[in-house]
Amino acid sequence: MSLPTVGLLHPGAMGSSVGAAVRAGGAEVIWASEGRSAATCERAAGDGLTEVATLAGLVEVSDIVISVCPPHSAQDVASSVAALGFGGTYADLNAIAPASSREVAGIIETGGGRYVDGGIVGPPARSPGTTRLYLSGPGAESVAALFDGSLLGVVSLDGGLGAASALKMAYAAWTKGSAALLMAVRALAAAEGIEQDLVREWDLSQPGLSDRSADVATRTPEKAWRFSGEMREIAATFAAAGLPDGFHRAAEAVYEGLSPLRDREHSFEEALLALCETEGDN
Amino acid sequence: MSLPTVGLLHPGAMGSSVGAAVRAGGAEVIWASEGRSAATCERAAGDGLTEVATLAGLVEVSDIVISVCPPHSAQDVASSVAALGFGGTYADLNAIAPASSREVAGIIETGGGRYVDGGIVGPPARSPGTTRLYLSGPGAESVAALFDGSLLGVVSLDGGLGAASALKMAYAAWTKGSAALLMAVRALAAAEGIEQDLVREWDLSQPGLSDRSADVATRTPEKAWRFSGEMREIAATFAAAGLPDGFHRAAEAVYEGLSPLRDREHSFEEALLALCETEGDN
């Protein structure tokens, strides 16, 4: 059998590593360069992805389209593909709520395509065992097969459409939710003038926590702009299950408070100060 | 100099260990048995505390009164002592917001007493190094001196009245807040039918987390009724500092959801089910 042609939207840091994993599995991967940055162009070339000019050109020749984008763009990306009459398989691998994933499924199926629900756990897949792609729903096998022998592990879930998105939401609910809580606690301690006392107590009774909090504070601001949309999706997932959504509404406020530090040199103290300027209105 | 007489309100599991620590320092400790349970009576006797019948009798002979009670009772306990014209030193060691502590200070000082702000970190002080008493504000030294050579470590903070309460709030904001988040995440995974998949992913990339979540789910329900009041105090502390209060409003809902399991045999699954029945209205 001939290998499918895969269209990748878009080759960001994570997306390009997904494209590289498909290439390792043998299929050709194309991407649409219209409106993308020079950095994206370089990254895609480095991962052996084939450039086409426009989204229309990508949709025309792709058997499978894979969406890897910020959570708040997932519906728009799907709509633009469906509007071009895409009739193949569309895999959304984004960090969105199960209800959002079902919404994207509706957009794709109305346009004549077949939908596969996905979610990625871990950093960009650049070494073995660090990153897993969860897939669910009919058609998952055809997407899973693309990654045979690649650095991206694939786990197909039984739960039906939305299960992979639910897994991603639950996983990130802890990792990114607890990171936001930890930042907020450090900011509170700083605001109350007892930060060093808290760190001394942590070093006695919560080993590793002060290091983790410092690490989160220095590494998070660059990514915070993406995380706030993900926190909204997680909060919606909790509310839909009849669980409290306040943890992740607060985490959204924390990441929004940190977003202004993006692409700026910033210190741990600046990160905490940015939080103290966050409105406590949730 | 003669040692002061210390009145303890009340000898619960934590309070009685504080009384035992004062006894180890040499001072006499009295408690008021009116309306208290047989279990409390037995615990107090076991720790060498002297029983008097009424609160009035306790206030009359105490140089220092120590309050160790559920957060939601702190103001009532202080008011009942102030109403009896207590003119000595009153130490509130409860898990309350700095603003609540200043409120209790006003109650005590209006009644003619002197106030010391405190907070306890750790389990009941039954072995060395597990538990620390934080103190702040004028008069802290006189309370600190009670515990010389006891199992309860004492740390006096420079930050002035409210610093010890702030330290306790920030510490519990992480420990009890992250525990509530972890329970809610497990409940979400159960509701979405991907709990075992999440645990498998945690075992790969978040070592120890599934064990921690199971431990929290089995041990928390007995204590949840106390924790919800503490979460309200923590949420108020965040809001007063201009930080998001949603983490701990959600944690309050989690602990309220678990409270019905108090004093009942319950399984991990029952604990999760109790959460899924929580209203997500915060």
Side-chain angles (χ1 to χ4, degrees):
Chain A
M1 60 166 246
S2 68
L3 287 160
T5 298
V6 176
L8 177 68
L9 307 171
H10 299 281
M14 177 64 80
S16 200
S17 80
V18 170
V22 173
R23 295 286 300 115
E28 185 184 15
V29 179
I30 60 178
W31 69 288
S33 57
E34 190 173 46
R36 315 307 300 181
S37 71
T40 297
C41 194
E42 197 173 317
R43 198 186 298 112
D47 282 322
L49 315 186
T50 304
E51 176 179 354
V52 297
T54 65
L55 181 65
L58 180 146
V59 165
E60 189 178 357
V61 300
S62 295
D63 303 298
I64 299 175
V65 169
I66 293 178
S67 171
V68 182
C69 66
H72 60 267
S73 308
Q75 280 89 335
D76 290 348
V77 169
S79 296
S80 62
V81 170
L84 290 163
F86 180 63
T89 295
Y90 184 96
D92 185 307
L93 311 189
N94 303 308
I96 58 176
S100 302
S101 181
R102 286 185 281 271
E103 195 181 313
V104 174
I107 293 167
I108 292 301
E109 288 161 0
T110 302
R114 183 166 74 153
Y115 183 76
V116 174
D117 175 48
I120 301 169
V121 170
R126 298 301 182 183
S127 44
T130 63
T131 311
R132 277 159 296 283
L133 168 61
Y134 287 87
L135 297 169
S136 63
E141 301 65 25
S142 63
V143 176
L146 295 172
F147 299 96
D148 289 345
S150 78
L151 292 174
L152 182 62
V154 178
V155 182
S156 294
L157 301 177
D158 303 331
L161 202 162
S165 290
L167 186 288
K168 170 63 179 182
M169 293 289 94
Y171 186 85
W174 171 255
T175 53
K176 297 189 178 88
S178 65
L181 172 58
L182 197 47
M183 297 273 309
V185 169
R186 282 295 292 255
L188 176 66
E192 292 288 341
I194 47 91
E195 193 178 10
Q196 291 317 309
D197 304 298
L198 178 65
V199 168
R200 269 190 291 273
E201 176 56 47
W202 277 354
D203 290 343
L204 286 172
S205 58
Q206 302 287 330
L209 194 56
S210 56
D211 289 347
R212 185 187 167 200
S213 69
D215 183 56
V216 165
T218 47
R219 287 174 39 195
T220 302
E222 307 308 320
K223 304 179 275 182
W225 67 278
R226 284 193 285 112
F227 290 178
S228 52
E230 188 170 344
M231 295 305 103
R232 279 191 295 276
E233 293 292 322
I234 295 172
T237 306
F238 274 73
L243 288 162
D245 63 357
F247 293 109
H248 298 91
R249 296 206 175 283
E252 177 188 357
V254 166
Y255 289 126
E256 277 177 0
L258 292 175
S259 295
L261 297 178
R262 182 186 182 188
D263 301 330
R264 272 222 332 260
E265 280 301 319
H266 65 273
S267 66
F268 184 48
E269 290 62 34
E270 283 177 305
L272 296 182
L273 183 62
L275 286 184
C276 292
E277 290 160 356
T278 303
E279 282 313 310
D281 62 354
N282 51 13
Chain B
M1 61 166 244
S2 68
L3 287 160
T5 298
V6 176
L8 176 69
L9 306 172
H10 298 280
M14 177 63 80
S16 200
S17 80
V18 170
V22 173
R23 295 286 302 116
E28 185 184 14
V29 179
I30 59 178
W31 69 288
S33 58
E34 191 174 45
R36 316 307 301 181
S37 71
T40 298
C41 194
E42 196 172 318
R43 198 185 297 113
D47 282 321
L49 314 186
T50 304
E51 175 178 355
V52 296
T54 66
L55 181 64
L58 179 146
V59 166
E60 188 179 356
V61 300
S62 296
D63 304 298
I64 299 175
V65 169
I66 294 177
S67 172
V68 182
C69 66
H72 61 267
S73 308
Q75 279 90 335
D76 291 348
V77 169
S79 298
S80 62
V81 169
L84 291 162
F86 179 64
T89 295
Y90 185 95
D92 185 307
L93 311 189
N94 302 307
I96 58 176
S100 302
S101 181
R102 286 186 282 270
E103 194 182 314
V104 174
I107 293 167
I108 292 301
E109 289 161 0
T110 302
R114 182 166 75 153
Y115 183 75
V116 174
D117 175 48
I120 301 169
V121 169
R126 297 301 182 182
S127 45
T130 64
T131 311
R132 277 159 297 283
L133 168 61
Y134 287 87
L135 297 170
S136 63
E141 300 67 25
S142 64
V143 176
L146 295 172
F147 300 95
D148 289 345
S150 78
L151 292 173
L152 182 61
V154 178
V155 182
S156 294
L157 301 177
D158 302 331
L161 202 162
S165 290
L167 186 288
K168 171 62 179 181
M169 292 289 95
Y171 186 85
W174 172 256
T175 54
K176 298 189 178 88
S178 64
L181 172 58
L182 196 48
M183 297 275 307
V185 168
R186 282 295 293 256
L188 176 66
E192 292 288 341
I194 47 91
E195 192 177 10
Q196 290 317 308
D197 304 297
L198 178 65
V199 168
R200 269 190 291 273
E201 177 56 48
W202 277 354
D203 291 343
L204 287 171
S205 57
Q206 302 287 329
L209 194 56
S210 56
D211 288 347
R212 184 187 168 199
S213 69
D215 184 55
V216 164
T218 48
R219 286 173 39 194
T220 303
E222 308 308 321
K223 304 179 273 181
W225 67 279
R226 283 193 285 114
F227 289 178
S228 52
E230 187 169 345
M231 295 305 103
R232 279 192 295 276
E233 293 291 323
I234 294 172
T237 306
F238 274 74
L243 289 162
D245 63 357
F247 292 109
H248 298 91
R249 295 206 176 284
E252 176 188 358
V254 166
Y255 290 126
E256 276 176 1
L258 292 174
S259 296
L261 296 177
R262 183 186 181 188
D263 303 330
R264 273 220 333 257
E265 280 301 318
H266 65 273
S267 66
F268 184 48
E269 289 63 34
E270 283 176 304
L272 296 182
L273 182 62
L275 286 185
C276 291
E277 290 160 355
T278 302
E279 282 313 312
D281 61 354
N282 52 15

